[in-house]
Amino acid sequence: MSGLRGKRDPVVAIVGATGAVGREFLALFEERAFGHGELRLLASARSAGGEIAYRGRAHTVRALSREALEGVDLALFSAGGSVSREYAPIASEMGAVVVDNSSAFRMEPGVALVVPEVNGALLDGIGAGGAIIANPNCSTIILMLALHPLRERFGIERAIVSTYQAASGAGAAAMEELRSQTRTVLDGGAPEPKVFPEVCAFNVFSHNSKVDEATGRNVEEQKMIDEVRKIWGGDSVRISATCIRVPTLRAHCESVHVTLGNTAGVDEVRRALSDAPGLELVDDRAGNRFPTSLRASGRDAVLVGRVRVAGDAETDGAGRARSFELFIAGDQIRKGAALNAIQIGERLLGMA
Ligand code: A2P
């Protein structure tokens, strides 16, 4: 039984309230009429004393500290890994349930890594008192929404994913860098990269996370592999990822080649996807209308389309195959981060 279930007017803290995900938490609270008591907006000392408008009035931002976490029931952390590593254990020891958006605790054995539509049942076993629950990486969440219904219905043997990731994954400063670099290039200038290692405007480049010299994989690619395996509970799924940044603002796209455990027809695959929670099928072959980053931006649903038998698949006489290709687009700040964390909170509180 969750320590939060049925709690009326929980005290909620947002750690990283001034960031891209922090502000989305507030927008979603408002949109979803999320019921809470006192709300603490916490950020670095740089932002202390500033104000953020929420539900029609100005709320003052406070510096994150142990005292600021006293009496908090639910703490939503999105201030980066080092802040989480220092303060999430403190918040949980003080009795809060922490939903952490960073990668700091995702792979810790005792920490649940949750996409509510996939393994939300894990939350029902969270006991009273403090706890840390990890929000998966944004690319993992978006991928899992599309792959999980296929796994449930047909089994999955392997998946090969290529991402097209927006600037928002690197935070508000990265989004601003993309905007200002775009203006600079259009004005005929040559932008200097600051947040990203490469120029972001009008460019496509390998994900900015560190590359392991032995495997050649960057951290983002390894996260996707490890997190999918943890969420599904084992190494039996063979998964591979190539993570790329593109000059879009806030929705990630992913191209997926998936080999199912059993053969299926394309209409059966489409039906499994269109029936799945959190997904919306956008698959208009005649109109060449499919998921796009703009179509997914600001939306809760992850969009899936371009559903087709893979070009390298063996098909039987009835056109059934085991390998399919899909294209996915999901708002990185919403379902990839803030919405997923809020859905976790809602389930813990018994609202969902
Ligand atoms: P601040 O605005 O005061 O720097 P984003 O992911 O969009 O870059 O946002 C990061 C968030 O994490 C911001 O709200 C930022 O606050 C916050 N943050 C960064 N460093 C700290 C810190 N040491 N303590 C608390 N919050 C932090």
Side-chain angles (χ1 to χ4, degrees):
M1 196 48 189
S2 160
L4 282 182
R5 184 135 308 123
K7 177 127 196 157
R8 290 179 68 85
D9 301 328
V11 177
V12 174
I14 296 181
V15 179
T18 52
V21 175
R23 287 179 183 272
E24 199 72 15
F25 281 134
L26 295 174
L28 283 162
F29 278 171
E30 226 167 332
E31 227 173 79
R32 297 165 81 82
F34 186 99
H36 57 74
E38 187 195 343
L39 179 66
R40 306 217 185 125
L41 302 185
L42 308 176
S44 78
R46 294 179 293 274
S47 302
E51 291 188 334
I52 295 180
Y54 170 65
R55 288 188 174 163
R57 73 177 182 84
H59 290 250
T60 304
V61 177
R62 289 169 62 182
L64 174 61
S65 66
R66 172 179 272 276
E67 296 68 52
L69 294 166
E70 247 162 47
V72 168
D73 296 306
L74 175 66
L76 303 174
F77 272 65
S78 193
S82 55
V83 173
S84 289
R85 261 187 295 278
E86 183 174 355
Y87 280 97
I90 293 174
S92 111
E93 271 156 33
M94 291 169 84
V97 175
V98 172
V99 184
D100 182 31
N101 199 46
S102 81
S103 61
F105 300 99
R106 287 181 191 148
M107 297 313 296
E108 285 208 1
V111 171
L113 183 64
V114 178
V115 182
E117 292 86 344
V118 175
N119 61 349
L122 286 180
L123 299 171
D124 303 335
I126 304 287
I132 299 177
I133 296 150
N135 220 29
N137 173 271
C138 46
S139 303
T140 309
I141 294 175
I142 290 164
L143 178 68
M144 290 306 277
L145 278 208
L147 285 190
H148 191 66
L150 300 184
R151 184 171 189 256
E152 295 274 277
R153 176 81 178 72
F154 310 105
I156 288 184
E157 194 174 278
R158 76 176 196 165
I160 301 167
V161 187
S162 298
T163 69
Y164 307 74
Q165 298 185 219
S168 57
M175 295 172 80
E176 191 41 43
E177 176 163 86
L178 172 57
R179 287 190 193 96
S180 74
Q181 286 186 352
T182 303
R183 279 184 222 109
T184 303
V185 173
L186 290 176
D187 290 345
E192 276 289 314
K194 290 199 189 77
V195 179
F196 288 120
E198 303 279 357
V199 171
C200 188
F202 302 98
N203 200 12
V204 169
F205 57 98
S206 187
H207 192 277
N208 45 292
S209 56
K210 191 171 166 18
V211 179
D212 182 303
E213 289 190 25
T215 64
R217 289 179 206 132
N218 61 44
V219 168
E220 187 83 350
E221 291 159 354
Q222 193 62 50
K223 279 180 190 169
M224 288 186 81
I225 295 168
D226 294 342
E227 293 178 18
V228 168
R229 288 182 175 156
K230 176 164 177 173
I231 293 166
W232 278 341
D235 294 343
S236 62
V237 174
R238 289 146 62 207
I239 172 148
S240 178
T242 301
C243 292
I244 301 292
R245 285 266 182 224
V246 295
T248 56
L249 270 179
R250 59 175 288 160
H252 289 353
C253 294
E254 301 182 21
S255 162
V256 187
H257 182 292
V258 57
T259 302
L260 305 176
N262 298 299
T263 59
V266 75
D267 286 338
E268 283 175 285
V269 171
R270 266 209 202 95
R271 209 169 317 122
L273 295 169
S274 65
D275 289 349
L279 265 187
E280 186 177 313
L281 190 67
V282 181
D283 201 26
D284 174 7
R285 289 182 180 180
N288 201 348
R289 191 174 172 281
F290 298 110
T292 66
S293 46
L294 285 184
R295 220 162 251 141
S297 292
R299 298 281 316 278
D300 288 353
V302 169
L303 311 182
V304 61
R306 302 246 34 225
V307 182
R308 61 201 192 276
V309 171
D312 63 336
E314 288 177 15
T315 50
D316 66 14
R320 297 171 69 78
R322 287 209 298 138
S323 293
F324 287 84
E325 281 165 318
L326 320 168
F327 191 69
I328 313 169
D331 188 309
Q332 183 276 329
I333 311 181
R334 282 210 160 206
K335 185 55 187 169
L339 175 62
N340 197 74
I342 286 181
Q343 287 171 323
I344 290 172
E346 287 173 344
R347 184 146 175 175
L348 288 167
L349 286 158
M351 295 172 179

